[in-house]
Amino acid sequence: MPLRIPARKTLTLTAVALSAALALTGCNAGGGSGDTTGAAPKDSLVVALTGEPVNLDFTTTAGAAIPQALMSNVYEGLVQVDQTGAITPLLAKSWELSKDRKNYTFTLVEGAKFSNGEAFDADDVKFSIERVKSDKWLSGMKSKMDIVDKVTVKSPTEVTVALKQPSNAWLFNMTTLVGAMFDPSGVDDLANKAIGTGPYALTEWKRGESINFDARADYWGTAPKTKKATLKYFSDAVATTNALKSGDVDVVFNMQAPELVDSFKADTKFQVLDGTSNGEIMLSMNNKAKPFDDVRVRQAVMYAIDRKAVVDSAWNGYGTLVGGPVPPTDPYYEDLNGVYPFDPAKAKALLKDAGVENLDITFTVPTRPYAAAISEIVVSQLKDVGINAKIETAEFPAVWLDKVFTKHDYQMSIVLAVEARDVLTMFNNPDYYIGFDNSKIAPIAAAADKADEAGFVSGMKKVVREIVDQAGSDTLFIFPNIVVANADVTGIPANSVTEALNLSVMGWK
């Protein structure tokens, strides 16, 4: 399905709201910014991020930081998503779908190797898919492989995946981290070592500081644009932009110091890209914990929040209002802003009906710039309708993931959900941290997945409407993807359409 970029006003010099939740920044580390006249071609790029992985194992640990660092760079799948949102070949150079839409037969590329020297073949495909279905995988995303019945190796370069029933979602899911290909001998210490078929080998991880990659001379595909790439982690977003101005940083991807955007746009040494993303800012309410186990209270919050004011105040109007947990890049998107218009009187009436007119709650806010800015506005708006929200700060990712995501020990929180097409991940599992009762949507989602394309779209729209009617969570807005970079950096992905940041496509003029 083509990527539909929502219409937005043009980026202006005062557009300080161009930040996103996981500010990715590029640094030069000796090969970066500065006067390039007469200089030798640069062979390194350093990208700075604000959210370091807890470990390197996305099969057992939640959070976007791990696949962001490793997918496309170290790990690859059979297929991938391009900047238009289309599914394209990767380790599978082609595939065929049977007439009953239940069997995918993949023809694999030849000559691909893992970074430990082991050859990639159909046996690795079988191993990787079956491992997702085993108890070795703990990530909630493993449910995306429940549809798989069996994997049959036909030859070293041909493998068939049989589904239990037709699925519109499965091939797209294979572009995500559940589709990552592993070497059976390289999974003993995934938390500390990453071994994949990708263009880079992970050479060093300095906890709290950086992850270093070297380009692989034996990579089967197009060689990376730079020989070395580093992800460098900063706790302060302003520090990354200062580094960009000083020449130590080459790229700021999903910028988190938006008040400085105009200074970069006015300087010819830099470039500003205005892209889109599929990231939803979710005001999460624990559907299984008081008071949000009462749908009236959740609906009261939906009416109490002026989402346009949130966008205008926190991000100067940048961000897309959608009214539901689906970005415009998804095929089943529809504008649901009218379901819960800003109506404080309606919010108060619902709270009175629920018997909680003067309500005290705890608002667990992760240590992220977007969360800090937005939470203050949300607290003010909730107070106006009689909900007194006390902010409790949770260090992100470790504390927030443990307390909110894993233990579900919270009432209200806020987070940027960056998984592509993640509505069912969030709401079709009552054990997910949101705790949404999926009894009504589960059969609708199942029927939609095995329907034809039109049936898939219409069915998923019904799913989303039911989630919104039940006020499962409040999607405040969709983040833009704004990139500020040294003017000489090329190949920067303008759109954030997956969790991965592909370093291999970025280089220098």
Side-chain angles (χ1 to χ4, degrees):
M1 182 65 65
L3 182 74
R4 297 186 296 254
I5 299 178
R8 293 197 300 269
K9 55 190 173 184
T10 303
L11 182 66
T12 66
L13 296 183
T14 58
V16 301
L18 306 178
S19 62
L22 300 170
L24 310 174
T25 328
C27 312
N28 72 348
S33 310
D35 185 4
T36 61
T37 304
K42 300 179 180 66
D43 63 359
S44 64
L45 186 77
V46 181
V47 177
L49 301 90
T50 60
E52 183 188 18
V54 176
N55 59 58
L56 301 179
D57 185 6
F58 54 68
T59 75
T60 61
T61 307
I66 310 173
Q68 185 178 67
L70 301 182
M71 289 299 293
S72 296
N73 298 318
V74 174
Y75 296 115
E76 295 179 313
L78 300 180
V79 288
Q80 62 184 343
V81 175
D82 68 13
Q83 283 282 290
T84 71
I87 299 173
T88 60
L90 192 53
L91 287 170
K93 61 183 180 182
S94 64
W95 60 90
E96 294 181 358
L97 179 60
S98 62
K99 290 183 179 180
D100 63 2
R101 298 173 51 234
K102 292 170 62 176
N103 295 283
Y104 283 87
T105 298
F106 296 94
T107 300
L108 309 180
V109 298
E110 298 182 24
K113 292 183 178 180
F114 291 95
S115 54
N116 62 358
E118 294 292 327
F120 166 75
D121 61 22
D123 287 324
D124 299 310
V125 178
K126 179 178 175 66
F127 169 80
S128 299
I129 292 176
E130 290 180 348
R131 193 172 191 276
V132 178
K133 294 171 66 65
S134 75
D135 59 6
K136 298 293 185 182
W137 265 73
L138 301 180
S139 166
M141 286 189 69
K142 68 178 296 173
S143 62
K144 295 179 182 295
M145 283 293 188
D146 289 349
I147 192 80
V148 174
D149 183 25
K150 63 179 180 179
V151 183
T152 303
V153 173
K154 293 189 170 183
S155 77
T157 58
E158 190 173 55
V159 59
T160 295
V161 181
L163 307 182
K164 298 174 183 177
Q165 61 192 32
S167 172
N168 287 284
W170 182 76
L171 188 63
F172 182 87
N173 290 337
M174 286 294 288
T175 70
T176 71
L177 59 87
V178 296
M181 294 292 109
F182 293 91
D183 170 41
S185 66
V187 296
D188 293 337
D189 189 17
L190 290 176
N192 299 292
K193 297 178 181 179
I195 297 171
T197 61
Y200 290 103
L202 194 155
T203 55
E204 185 180 26
W205 179 22
K206 298 179 181 178
R207 293 178 183 269
E209 183 178 340
S210 62
I211 298 176
N212 299 319
F213 304 93
D214 281 357
R216 293 178 53 194
D218 62 346
Y219 179 55
W220 66 272
T222 302
K225 300 291 186 181
T226 58
K227 293 181 180 179
K228 292 183 179 293
T230 298
L231 299 179
K232 189 173 182 181
Y233 295 93
F234 289 79
S235 59
D236 179 74
V238 175
T240 65
T241 56
N242 288 339
L244 179 59
K245 286 189 172 183
S246 69
D248 292 328
V249 168
D250 305 315
V251 181
V252 179
F253 192 88
N254 282 353
M255 187 176 181
Q256 287 205 57
E259 66 275 11
L260 301 178
V261 168
D262 47 341
S263 66
F264 290 110
K265 187 160 186 175
D267 192 329
T268 57
K269 294 194 298 292
F270 303 101
Q271 57 182 308
V272 177
L273 306 179
D274 183 4
T276 189
S277 85
N278 53 26
E280 307 111 343
I281 288 290
M282 304 298 295
L283 184 64
S284 307
M285 295 171 276
N286 190 340
N287 286 212
K288 289 186 176 181
K290 292 183 179 301
F292 299 115
D293 55 349
D294 189 327
V295 66
R296 295 169 296 183
V297 179
R298 299 197 302 269
Q299 290 172 335
V301 170
M302 302 287 277
Y303 284 115
I305 302 300
D306 184 346
R307 291 182 291 276
K308 185 177 187 304
V310 171
V311 173
D312 289 344
S313 299
W315 303 124
N316 280 23
Y318 288 88
T320 305
L321 299 176
V322 290
V326 176
T329 51
D330 286 357
Y332 37 84
Y333 166 78
E334 62 178 323
D335 186 343
L336 296 176
N337 285 295
V339 178
Y340 293 101
F342 177 52
D343 190 340
K346 180 69 172 177
K348 291 178 181 179
L350 283 164
L351 292 172
K352 182 177 181 180
D353 187 50
V356 289
E357 290 181 83
N358 292 298
L359 183 61
D360 294 321
I361 67 166
T362 300
F363 188 6
T364 306
V365 178
T367 52
R368 281 289 174 267
Y370 73 88
I374 295 171
S375 62
E376 295 292 342
I377 302 167
V378 168
V379 166
S380 176
Q381 293 182 350
L382 291 178
K383 185 176 182 179
D384 290 342
V385 302
I387 300 176
N388 302 306
K390 178 183 177 182
I391 291 180
E392 172 189 78
T393 301
E395 188 271 328
F396 190 92
V399 175
W400 188 91
L401 285 175
D402 179 61
K403 180 180 178 63
V404 177
F405 190 86
T406 302
K407 296 179 179 176
H408 309 174
D409 181 17
Y410 81 104
Q411 290 179 299
M412 175 182 284
S413 190
I414 186 169
V415 75
L416 176 65
V418 298
E419 282 181 18
R421 301 191 189 180
D422 55 0
V423 63
L424 295 182
T425 300
M426 292 189 288
F427 297 101
N428 200 28
N429 177 5
D431 295 326
Y432 195 66
Y433 85 100
I434 293 172
F436 182 77
D437 180 0
N438 71 326
S439 57
K440 289 185 179 180
I441 69 169
I444 304 172
D449 191 37
K450 63 183 179 182
D452 59 17
E453 184 175 356
F456 173 62
V457 171
S458 63
M460 286 302 298
K461 285 183 177 180
K462 291 178 183 178
V463 166
V464 175
R465 290 190 201 106
E466 178 64 23
I467 293 167
V468 173
D469 288 345
Q470 294 299 312
S473 285
D474 193 353
T475 307
L476 298 180
F477 59 94
I478 304 297
F479 255 30
N481 187 55
I482 306 302
V483 182
V484 182
N486 181 290
D488 288 337
V489 178
T490 62
I492 303 170
N495 299 320
S496 180
V497 294
T498 70
E499 292 175 88
L501 176 63
N502 190 343
L503 301 172
S504 72
V505 298
M506 290 188 276
W508 295 90
K509 291 180 181 178

